[in-house]
Amino acid sequence: MKMYLISDNIDTQIGMRLAGIDGVTVHETEEAQTRLDALMQDKNIGVILVTQTIYAQCEEHINFLKNKYKLPLITRIPDRHGMQDNEYLTRYVREAIGM
């Protein structure tokens, strides 16, 4: 299974591309949601990486997709400005184990 990046900036996309991860840069919320919907149907994709900015723009849609599909996993990564939410990892682990 492959990883795929949806980014709001070219810098993150280039960095991930150097690491062997394909991706796309989007600038509109609708464009990101359309790309997410298409990737959810791709059986070769195991993990979708989404930059923090895209995650914030599409959080409701991403939560819907996470509840509807088991795979691929959708995870948020820091963008060039870093992670804005310091409690993100703690909250993510709690949600994952059902606390």
Side-chain angles (χ1 to χ4, degrees):
M1 293 195 161
K2 297 180 183 179
M3 296 176 94
Y4 195 88
L5 170 72
I6 300 177
S7 176
D8 62 307
N9 64 71
I10 194 75
D11 298 333
T12 304
Q13 184 189 3
I14 290 171
M16 290 297 194
R17 185 67 194 129
L18 290 171
I21 298 171
D22 286 329
V24 65
T25 301
V26 297
H27 300 287
E28 301 292 329
T29 302
E30 295 78 24
E31 186 180 4
Q33 290 176 347
T34 301
R35 183 65 68 160
L36 280 165
D37 291 339
L39 290 171
M40 295 307 284
Q41 304 304 317
D42 188 339
K43 299 301 180 195
N44 294 319
I45 304 296
V47 178
I48 301 171
L49 304 173
V50 180
T51 57
Q52 182 173 323
T53 303
I54 297 294
Y55 191 93
Q57 291 174 354
C58 302
E59 187 170 4
E60 188 175 312
H61 189 69
I62 289 171
N63 288 333
F64 169 77
L65 294 174
K66 283 182 173 183
N67 289 326
K68 186 175 180 181
Y69 300 99
K70 282 188 167 185
L71 288 175
L73 301 175
I74 303 173
T75 189
R76 174 174 59 167
I77 62 169
D79 56 17
R80 63 183 171 201
H81 305 293
M83 190 64 82
Q84 303 296 321
D85 183 2
N86 295 332
E87 292 294 319
Y88 167 71
L89 188 56
T90 303
R91 201 169 51 253
Y92 185 75
V93 170
R94 285 185 179 153
E95 288 174 8
I97 61 174
M99 288 180 60

